[in-house]
Amino acid sequence: MAKRTNVVFLTAVAVAFATYVWAQGSSAARLKFPGGEQTITIAQQGGQPLFPVDRVLASVGGRVEKVPEGFKAVVGGLDVAFAADSRYAVVRDKMIEMPQPPMIVEGRPFAPLQFFSGFLRLAAGLDAVWDQATGVLELKPVPVETLEVQPSVVDVQNLTKIVLQLSGPTEYTIVREAGTLVVRLVSPIRVPVPEQKYDSAYVSGMTFGPKEVRIELKTAQVAADSYKLENPFRIVLDLRQAAAPVPVLPQTTITPRRRNAPGIHTIVIDPGHGGKEVGAVGPGGLFEKDVTLAICRKLAARLESTLHTRVVLTRESDEVVPLDQRTALANQYQADLFLSVHLNSSVIKGAKGSETYFLSADASDELARHAADRENSGQGRQGNSELNLILWDLAQQSYLNESSRLAQVVQEEMNQATGVLSRGVKQAPFKVLVGATMPAALVEVGFISNPDEEKKLTDGAFQDTLVAALTKGIARYKSEYEVRIGVAPPAAPPAAADRQEQAPSPSLPASVLPTRAAADRPGV
């Protein structure tokens, strides 16, 4: 409540100041846009021009609406969130930094040039250029440039992953011809060689044209789908074995992967750290990155076999994956659930057990803040609390309750499996959770700083116990979520005899009650 009060107070101050500035420094300018031009009124603040967001975006078919925490603008189906108390605007999982916050005059937002150039490039392929001498703001198409392309092909588990990394974004289509996938690009490309051969399960080679990449297939029994990743821009194709040869018309278009039907169908598991980002280090020299990868590999296999869902790992080897690319990958896979797995570290002797977090601009307590700082520090923290506030409150509010529920069930199952007193569900600004467009949580499965837990974490049977608990938590969340959204019927209540059998004896203290049947523990 205090945070909201502060935001309201700061916004009121910003509005009052903006009204004063408006009275001192408004002037007329010309807005040129594809299809016409018009006169607009701009403001001056700190020697910088600010332009009316509603008028500028309306010229290209956009609109602006007031929301409780600020404003939301839409152009071409793409949303941007911004407010008068922040220098950052949010477009999906991207941030637009401005030299100063927008100002509000009589309920209308005015923003610096950087807001328009950043947003309109993404939403409409337009650049915003201000000519101070003539007083003209021009919206014009971004010049088409020749892009560098770096292709790669790798066999991962039961599929072949093709990645075309480009030096900039471009529109594209993918069509299937007999024995070939053709990626057709709007922008021209430049490549090191005209042809490249590969020793892959499904790909024999690639050839490159001025605006296309032709991927030669080894067999007709290949199914393919695609998606794109940002920062850097990449076109990704996943090839897998088809049950029968795929029938191909002369121009069969491969559309980007679509959102799944309601329910939990795709889960992304994120092994914390990797490569040179080793994470926390135990007193015996154990690296966090190695344990998280081992646990996540087991977890992915167990989830696929028990829940029959699609499971994707953000990394499958000892490699560096930037924090913002982990949730970006989950978004591009259109995941229904995201869980990041880490190990805890503390200067407090004897600290043990698990902790589960969901994203918030404000940490639950100082220890939660330190945990987020530690996990964020490897690749640098992005922004600050006001940035996270906009990211969460404006862009991802709809996932807050579900992320909280996910964290809660995971924590409960971890407590039951390990028999450790609950450390509780907490909130903190973990960078790896920023940008997730699905329920997302981060679990610290144990304290690597504790010599006893460090030893346990190297034991396969103990890892299996943790994996079983995480699987049970995710399965429980999946079941409860699908009941809540109406795609699964509620579970029947247990019979009276079953309830009596399951109830713990009141004569025994809770500290000595078994946390789990031995037969339910893997490796026992």
Side-chain angles (χ1 to χ4, degrees):
M1 190 65 178
K3 179 178 75 174
R4 295 293 184 196
T5 302
N6 289 338
V7 171
V8 172
F9 174 74
L10 290 173
T11 302
V13 171
V15 170
F17 178 71
T19 303
Y20 169 78
V21 173
W22 176 261
Q24 299 298 314
S26 62
S27 60
R30 296 295 294 170
L31 171 64
K32 290 185 177 181
F33 53 92
E37 63 178 87
Q38 59 184 247
T39 301
I40 58 174
T41 301
I42 66 172
Q44 297 286 336
Q45 182 175 340
Q48 296 291 326
L50 290 93
F51 305 91
V53 177
D54 53 352
R55 293 286 301 278
V56 174
L57 298 190
S59 72
V60 291
R63 69 180 189 276
V64 181
E65 61 185 79
K66 185 77 172 67
V67 294
E69 296 85 358
F71 291 87
K72 183 176 75 171
V74 183
V75 172
L78 192 65
D79 295 358
V80 60
F82 62 101
D85 61 335
S86 176
R87 294 190 303 107
Y88 298 91
V90 180
V91 183
R92 292 178 181 165
D93 58 346
K94 300 177 184 299
M95 281 67 67
I96 300 172
E97 184 174 2
M98 297 172 279
Q100 60 199 64
M103 73 175 188
I104 314 302
V105 180
E106 298 177 349
R108 296 177 60 207
F110 286 70
L113 181 67
Q114 290 81 352
F115 171 85
F116 300 99
S117 58
F119 177 48
L120 291 178
R121 275 178 174 262
L122 296 171
L126 297 173
D127 200 2
V129 180
W130 168 243
D131 189 328
Q132 179 73 40
T134 61
V136 173
L137 173 64
E138 184 175 5
L139 309 182
K140 56 185 180 181
V142 176
V144 177
E145 61 177 325
T146 300
L147 302 176
E148 302 283 348
V149 59
Q150 297 180 355
S152 65
V153 176
V154 61
D155 293 328
V156 181
Q157 294 179 348
N158 59 346
L159 58 82
T160 294
K161 187 177 292 291
I162 301 169
V163 180
L164 303 176
Q165 180 172 318
L166 293 101
S167 57
T170 183
E171 296 298 319
Y172 67 94
T173 57
I174 304 175
V175 298
R176 183 164 188 157
E177 300 174 354
T180 307
L181 296 174
V182 185
V183 183
R184 293 175 178 164
L185 308 162
V186 171
S187 300
I189 59 173
R190 181 169 54 251
V191 293
V193 294
E195 184 177 2
Q196 178 70 52
K197 297 296 184 182
Y198 294 97
D199 182 16
S200 167
Y202 302 123
V203 177
S204 60
M206 291 187 201
T207 56
F208 305 91
K211 289 188 176 182
E212 70 175 24
V213 178
R214 302 183 68 86
I215 302 165
E216 306 297 333
L217 303 177
K218 285 185 175 180
T219 173
Q221 289 186 231
V222 176
D225 60 3
S226 70
Y227 55 96
K228 66 180 180 180
L229 296 173
E230 307 286 349
N231 299 322
F233 184 83
R234 285 153 291 167
I235 301 169
V236 184
L237 296 94
D238 286 344
L239 311 184
R240 62 189 185 280
Q241 181 73 32
V246 178
V248 180
L249 298 174
Q251 293 293 320
T252 303
T253 302
I254 297 176
T255 57
R257 188 174 292 139
R258 299 182 185 275
R259 174 65 66 185
N260 294 314
I264 306 298
H265 305 285
T266 298
I267 300 171
V268 169
I269 303 297
D270 172 46
H273 304 281
K276 66 180 181 180
E277 306 294 345
V278 300
V281 181
L286 183 65
F287 288 163
E288 178 181 1
K289 66 170 184 176
D290 296 329
V291 180
T292 58
L293 182 58
I295 289 174
C296 289
R297 282 173 171 167
K298 293 182 178 182
L299 178 59
R302 185 149 184 164
L303 288 171
E304 286 184 334
S305 63
T306 58
L307 300 186
H308 307 293
T309 55
R310 179 189 189 204
V311 182
V312 178
L313 293 177
T314 60
R315 68 179 180 96
E316 301 191 40
S317 60
D318 186 17
E319 60 181 320
V320 174
V321 180
L323 296 179
D324 55 358
Q325 287 188 23
R326 297 176 187 238
T327 46
L329 180 67
N331 292 340
Q332 294 300 332
Y333 268 103
Q334 297 184 343
D336 304 297
L337 204 67
F338 178 85
L339 183 67
S340 188
V341 178
H342 291 256
L343 297 180
N344 220 333
S345 179
S346 175
V347 295
I348 300 175
K349 187 175 182 181
K352 61 181 179 179
S354 63
E355 294 177 339
T356 311
Y357 296 83
F358 61 99
L359 183 65
S360 173
D362 295 332
S364 302
D365 51 46
E366 196 58 29
L367 291 178
R369 170 67 66 182
H370 287 320
D373 287 344
R374 183 180 65 253
E375 300 295 0
N376 293 340
S377 63
Q379 297 174 31
R381 295 189 62 189
Q382 185 168 353
N384 49 34
S385 60
E386 72 169 4
L387 169 60
N388 286 321
L389 174 64
I390 287 186
L391 277 168
W392 189 245
D393 288 348
L394 296 187
Q396 297 154 351
Q397 182 69 46
S398 60
Y399 305 106
L400 177 62
N401 291 336
E402 290 302 330
S403 295
S404 174
R405 288 188 176 108
L406 172 63
Q408 184 65 43
V409 297
V410 167
Q411 182 65 34
E412 289 174 359
E413 296 300 334
M414 291 294 291
N415 293 335
Q416 188 174 4
T418 60
V420 174
L421 183 67
S422 175
R423 301 182 63 90
V425 171
K426 302 182 180 182
Q427 298 171 260
F430 284 96
K431 183 179 175 183
V432 73
L433 298 180
V434 170
T437 57
M438 73 288 298
L442 181 147
V443 58
E444 306 264 15
V445 298
F447 278 83
I448 196 172
S449 57
N450 183 321
D452 293 335
E453 288 209 348
E454 179 189 26
K455 184 176 180 181
K456 286 182 180 180
L457 288 165
T458 63
D459 179 67
F462 183 73
Q463 290 181 3
D464 290 342
T465 299
L466 299 179
V467 167
L470 293 172
T471 302
K472 190 173 181 182
I474 292 172
R476 198 177 122 200
Y477 174 80
K478 179 179 186 295
S479 175
E480 294 173 357
Y481 173 75
E482 291 178 348
V483 168
R484 281 197 301 275
I485 65 173
V487 300
D498 293 336
R499 288 197 297 269
Q500 292 176 0
E501 183 178 331
Q502 293 172 2
S505 169
S507 62
L508 293 175
S511 59
V512 297
L513 288 176
T515 59
R516 209 171 164 177
D520 194 31
R521 292 183 180 173
V524 176

PDB file of all heavy atoms in Angstrom, residues 29 40 77 95-96 101 124 128 144 178 213 221 312 341 373 380 390 444 466 492:
ATOM      1  N   ALA A  29       4.546  22.872 -33.763  1.00  0.00           N
ATOM      2  CA  ALA A  29       5.472  22.151 -34.639  1.00  0.00           C
ATOM      3  C   ALA A  29       4.648  21.450 -35.706  1.00  0.00           C
ATOM      4  O   ALA A  29       3.415  21.372 -35.623  1.00  0.00           O
ATOM      5  CB  ALA A  29       6.300  21.149 -33.835  1.00  0.00           C
ATOM      6  N   ILE A  40       1.001  20.257 -34.567  1.00  0.00           N
ATOM      7  CA  ILE A  40       0.865  19.751 -33.206  1.00  0.00           C
ATOM      8  C   ILE A  40       1.489  20.761 -32.243  1.00  0.00           C
ATOM      9  O   ILE A  40       2.269  21.617 -32.654  1.00  0.00           O
ATOM     10  CB  ILE A  40       1.551  18.375 -33.020  1.00  0.00           C
ATOM     11  CG1 ILE A  40       3.044  18.467 -33.364  1.00  0.00           C
ATOM     12  CG2 ILE A  40       0.865  17.303 -33.842  1.00  0.00           C
ATOM     13  CD1 ILE A  40       3.828  17.186 -33.057  1.00  0.00           C
ATOM     14  N   GLY A  77      -1.255  -3.464 -33.125  1.00  0.00           N
ATOM     15  CA  GLY A  77      -1.387  -4.633 -32.270  1.00  0.00           C
ATOM     16  C   GLY A  77      -0.309  -4.780 -31.221  1.00  0.00           C
ATOM     17  O   GLY A  77      -0.331  -5.725 -30.434  1.00  0.00           O
ATOM     18  N   MET A  95      12.688  -2.867 -23.087  1.00  0.00           N
ATOM     19  CA  MET A  95      12.636  -1.598 -22.407  1.00  0.00           C
ATOM     20  C   MET A  95      13.084  -0.470 -23.339  1.00  0.00           C
ATOM     21  O   MET A  95      14.046  -0.636 -24.084  1.00  0.00           O
ATOM     22  CB  MET A  95      13.528  -1.602 -21.166  1.00  0.00           C
ATOM     23  CG  MET A  95      12.900  -2.291 -19.968  1.00  0.00           C
ATOM     24  SD  MET A  95      12.689  -4.076 -20.182  1.00  0.00           S
ATOM     25  CE  MET A  95      14.387  -4.630 -20.222  1.00  0.00           C
ATOM     26  N   ILE A  96      12.389   0.644 -23.303  1.00  0.00           N
ATOM     27  CA  ILE A  96      12.784   1.840 -24.036  1.00  0.00           C
ATOM     28  C   ILE A  96      13.213   2.864 -22.996  1.00  0.00           C
ATOM     29  O   ILE A  96      12.414   3.270 -22.150  1.00  0.00           O
ATOM     30  CB  ILE A  96      11.625   2.395 -24.882  1.00  0.00           C
ATOM     31  CG1 ILE A  96      11.160   1.357 -25.907  1.00  0.00           C
ATOM     32  CG2 ILE A  96      12.048   3.687 -25.570  1.00  0.00           C
ATOM     33  CD1 ILE A  96       9.890   1.767 -26.644  1.00  0.00           C
ATOM     34  N   PRO A 101      11.452  11.388 -17.839  1.00  0.00           N
ATOM     35  CA  PRO A 101      10.119  10.787 -17.882  1.00  0.00           C
ATOM     36  C   PRO A 101       9.171  11.607 -18.741  1.00  0.00           C
ATOM     37  O   PRO A 101       9.363  12.812 -18.941  1.00  0.00           O
ATOM     38  CB  PRO A 101       9.683  10.802 -16.410  1.00  0.00           C
ATOM     39  CG  PRO A 101      10.928  11.018 -15.619  1.00  0.00           C
ATOM     40  CD  PRO A 101      11.839  11.820 -16.488  1.00  0.00           C
ATOM     41  N   ALA A 124       5.722  -0.343 -36.108  1.00  0.00           N
ATOM     42  CA  ALA A 124       5.315   0.039 -37.461  1.00  0.00           C
ATOM     43  C   ALA A 124       6.462   0.166 -38.448  1.00  0.00           C
ATOM     44  O   ALA A 124       6.239   0.570 -39.594  1.00  0.00           O
ATOM     45  CB  ALA A 124       4.549   1.367 -37.404  1.00  0.00           C
ATOM     46  N   ALA A 128      11.413   8.048 -35.993  1.00  0.00           N
ATOM     47  CA  ALA A 128      10.966   9.394 -35.648  1.00  0.00           C
ATOM     48  C   ALA A 128      12.180  10.318 -35.646  1.00  0.00           C
ATOM     49  O   ALA A 128      13.127  10.092 -34.893  1.00  0.00           O
ATOM     50  CB  ALA A 128      10.285   9.396 -34.285  1.00  0.00           C
ATOM     51  N   VAL A 144      16.045   0.263 -45.251  1.00  0.00           N
ATOM     52  CA  VAL A 144      16.367  -1.169 -45.344  1.00  0.00           C
ATOM     53  C   VAL A 144      17.871  -1.322 -45.472  1.00  0.00           C
ATOM     54  O   VAL A 144      18.493  -0.724 -46.345  1.00  0.00           O
ATOM     55  CB  VAL A 144      15.650  -1.814 -46.545  1.00  0.00           C
ATOM     56  CG1 VAL A 144      16.056  -3.280 -46.669  1.00  0.00           C
ATOM     57  CG2 VAL A 144      14.147  -1.697 -46.385  1.00  0.00           C
ATOM     58  N   ALA A 178       9.551 -29.174 -52.236  1.00  0.00           N
ATOM     59  CA  ALA A 178       9.953 -30.576 -52.212  1.00  0.00           C
ATOM     60  C   ALA A 178      11.411 -30.699 -51.755  1.00  0.00           C
ATOM     61  O   ALA A 178      12.326 -30.243 -52.439  1.00  0.00           O
ATOM     62  CB  ALA A 178       9.787 -31.197 -53.596  1.00  0.00           C
ATOM     63  N   VAL A 213      17.226 -18.017 -47.659  1.00  0.00           N
ATOM     64  CA  VAL A 213      18.075 -19.116 -47.208  1.00  0.00           C
ATOM     65  C   VAL A 213      17.333 -20.406 -47.528  1.00  0.00           C
ATOM     66  O   VAL A 213      16.183 -20.596 -47.097  1.00  0.00           O
ATOM     67  CB  VAL A 213      18.361 -19.042 -45.695  1.00  0.00           C
ATOM     68  CG1 VAL A 213      19.217 -20.230 -45.271  1.00  0.00           C
ATOM     69  CG2 VAL A 213      19.039 -17.734 -45.331  1.00  0.00           C
ATOM     70  N   GLN A 221      10.355 -37.185 -44.444  1.00  0.00           N
ATOM     71  CA  GLN A 221       9.665 -37.484 -43.188  1.00  0.00           C
ATOM     72  C   GLN A 221      10.134 -36.548 -42.086  1.00  0.00           C
ATOM     73  O   GLN A 221      10.624 -36.966 -41.038  1.00  0.00           O
ATOM     74  CB  GLN A 221       9.870 -38.944 -42.787  1.00  0.00           C
ATOM     75  CG  GLN A 221       9.110 -39.907 -43.676  1.00  0.00           C
ATOM     76  CD  GLN A 221       9.211 -41.331 -43.188  1.00  0.00           C
ATOM     77  OE1 GLN A 221       9.553 -42.235 -43.942  1.00  0.00           O
ATOM     78  NE2 GLN A 221       8.904 -41.556 -41.931  1.00  0.00           N
ATOM     79  N   VAL A 312      10.981 -27.849 -22.264  1.00  0.00           N
ATOM     80  CA  VAL A 312      12.144 -27.246 -22.923  1.00  0.00           C
ATOM     81  C   VAL A 312      13.088 -26.733 -21.845  1.00  0.00           C
ATOM     82  O   VAL A 312      12.657 -26.104 -20.871  1.00  0.00           O
ATOM     83  CB  VAL A 312      11.715 -26.078 -23.837  1.00  0.00           C
ATOM     84  CG1 VAL A 312      12.928 -25.426 -24.488  1.00  0.00           C
ATOM     85  CG2 VAL A 312      10.731 -26.559 -24.897  1.00  0.00           C
ATOM     86  N   VAL A 341      15.579 -22.795 -11.692  1.00  0.00           N
ATOM     87  CA  VAL A 341      16.106 -23.596 -10.584  1.00  0.00           C
ATOM     88  C   VAL A 341      17.497 -23.098 -10.198  1.00  0.00           C
ATOM     89  O   VAL A 341      18.384 -22.989 -11.066  1.00  0.00           O
ATOM     90  CB  VAL A 341      16.154 -25.091 -10.960  1.00  0.00           C
ATOM     91  CG1 VAL A 341      16.739 -25.919  -9.821  1.00  0.00           C
ATOM     92  CG2 VAL A 341      14.762 -25.597 -11.310  1.00  0.00           C
ATOM     93  N   ASP A 373      19.839  -9.927  -5.602  1.00  0.00           N
ATOM     94  CA  ASP A 373      21.085  -9.251  -5.992  1.00  0.00           C
ATOM     95  C   ASP A 373      22.144 -10.269  -6.399  1.00  0.00           C
ATOM     96  O   ASP A 373      22.877 -10.071  -7.373  1.00  0.00           O
ATOM     97  CB  ASP A 373      21.603  -8.390  -4.845  1.00  0.00           C
ATOM     98  CG  ASP A 373      20.777  -7.132  -4.628  1.00  0.00           C
ATOM     99  OD1 ASP A 373      20.007  -6.779  -5.541  1.00  0.00           O
ATOM    100  OD2 ASP A 373      20.897  -6.515  -3.560  1.00  0.00           O
ATOM    101  N   GLY A 380      24.827  -8.541 -14.626  1.00  0.00           N
ATOM    102  CA  GLY A 380      24.435  -7.153 -14.467  1.00  0.00           C
ATOM    103  C   GLY A 380      22.948  -7.009 -14.254  1.00  0.00           C
ATOM    104  O   GLY A 380      22.145  -7.666 -14.869  1.00  0.00           O
ATOM    105  N   ILE A 390       7.051  -0.892 -13.406  1.00  0.00           N
ATOM    106  CA  ILE A 390       6.303  -0.776 -14.655  1.00  0.00           C
ATOM    107  C   ILE A 390       6.218  -2.130 -15.351  1.00  0.00           C
ATOM    108  O   ILE A 390       5.168  -2.526 -15.847  1.00  0.00           O
ATOM    109  CB  ILE A 390       6.949   0.273 -15.576  1.00  0.00           C
ATOM    110  CG1 ILE A 390       6.675   1.670 -15.023  1.00  0.00           C
ATOM    111  CG2 ILE A 390       6.409   0.173 -16.984  1.00  0.00           C
ATOM    112  CD1 ILE A 390       7.127   2.781 -15.908  1.00  0.00           C
ATOM    113  N   GLU A 444      14.992 -21.901  -5.065  1.00  0.00           N
ATOM    114  CA  GLU A 444      16.335 -22.209  -4.550  1.00  0.00           C
ATOM    115  C   GLU A 444      16.188 -23.537  -3.819  1.00  0.00           C
ATOM    116  O   GLU A 444      15.620 -23.610  -2.729  1.00  0.00           O
ATOM    117  CB  GLU A 444      16.792 -21.110  -3.587  1.00  0.00           C
ATOM    118  CG  GLU A 444      16.732 -19.696  -4.154  1.00  0.00           C
ATOM    119  CD  GLU A 444      18.064 -19.225  -4.710  1.00  0.00           C
ATOM    120  OE1 GLU A 444      18.953 -20.085  -4.912  1.00  0.00           O
ATOM    121  OE2 GLU A 444      18.219 -18.024  -4.933  1.00  0.00           O
ATOM    122  N   LEU A 466      14.553 -34.307  -4.801  1.00  0.00           N
ATOM    123  CA  LEU A 466      14.199 -32.941  -5.167  1.00  0.00           C
ATOM    124  C   LEU A 466      13.389 -32.912  -6.459  1.00  0.00           C
ATOM    125  O   LEU A 466      12.395 -32.180  -6.568  1.00  0.00           O
ATOM    126  CB  LEU A 466      15.462 -32.086  -5.316  1.00  0.00           C
ATOM    127  CG  LEU A 466      16.347 -31.924  -4.078  1.00  0.00           C
ATOM    128  CD1 LEU A 466      17.567 -31.077  -4.422  1.00  0.00           C
ATOM    129  CD2 LEU A 466      15.571 -31.293  -2.935  1.00  0.00           C
ATOM    130  N   ALA A 492     -12.566 -35.588  -7.364  1.00  0.00           N
ATOM    131  CA  ALA A 492     -13.559 -36.075  -6.418  1.00  0.00           C
ATOM    132  C   ALA A 492     -12.969 -36.069  -5.014  1.00  0.00           C
ATOM    133  O   ALA A 492     -11.790 -36.424  -4.824  1.00  0.00           O
ATOM    134  CB  ALA A 492     -13.997 -37.488  -6.796  1.00  0.00           C
TER     135      ALA A 492
END
